[in-house]
């Protein structure tokens, strides 16, 4: 049986130096959020060339079990913002749960 996947969309990414960012949109197929209790964007990658070929990304996995939006390692937020906070690339939508 085919299972239709729904990923929370990355509404905006303000990290211009990321290879997946073009026009404040994330163009990876999907991102992974989390590193233990820190809501970091694990997909962040610095490169001179920027990817634009995959449309807009979604959150494929969230490893931050303490986030209010985390449901069985998947993001349940309506949309996600990614940006820098304290000099780290993070999921700005993170809410401690």
């Amino acid at each position: 049986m085919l299972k239709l996947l729904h990923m929370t969309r990355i509404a905006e990414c303000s990290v211009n130096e990321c290879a997946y960012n073009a026009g404040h949109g994330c163009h990876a197929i999907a991102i992974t959020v989390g590193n233990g209790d820190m809501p970091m964007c694990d997909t962040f990658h610095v490169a001179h060339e920027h990817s634009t070929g995959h449309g807009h990304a979604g959150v494929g996995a969230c490893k931050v079990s303490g986030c209010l939006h985390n449901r069985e390692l998947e993001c349940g937020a309506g949309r996600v913002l990614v940006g820098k906070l304290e000099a780290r690339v993070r999921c700005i939508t993170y809410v401690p749960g």
Side-chain angles (χ1 to χ4, degrees):
M1 174 184 279
L2 178 65
K3 180 180 177 183
L4 181 62
L5 298 177
H6 169 75
M7 288 189 287
T8 298
R9 185 174 178 265
I10 309 299
E12 182 179 336
C13 178
S14 62
V15 185
N16 293 326
E17 63 270 26
C18 182
Y20 297 106
N21 184 333
H24 292 282
C26 181
H27 296 278
I29 293 172
I31 70 167
T32 298
V33 173
N35 185 5
D37 60 349
M38 295 293 292
M40 310 283 281
C41 178
D42 288 354
T43 310
F44 170 67
H45 176 68
V46 176
H48 294 291
E49 293 184 31
H50 290 259
S51 172
T52 59
H54 298 294
H56 288 281
V59 178
C62 178
K63 301 183 287 181
V64 186
S65 60
C67 181
L68 179 68
H69 302 294
N70 188 317
R71 297 193 179 45
E72 298 180 357
L73 301 175
E74 295 179 0
C75 183
R79 64 187 189 122
V80 165
L81 304 174
V82 175
K84 283 192 178 176
L85 188 62
E86 299 171 356
R88 295 183 178 182
V89 179
R90 298 173 51 134
C91 173
I92 304 300
T93 309
Y94 166 77
V95 177

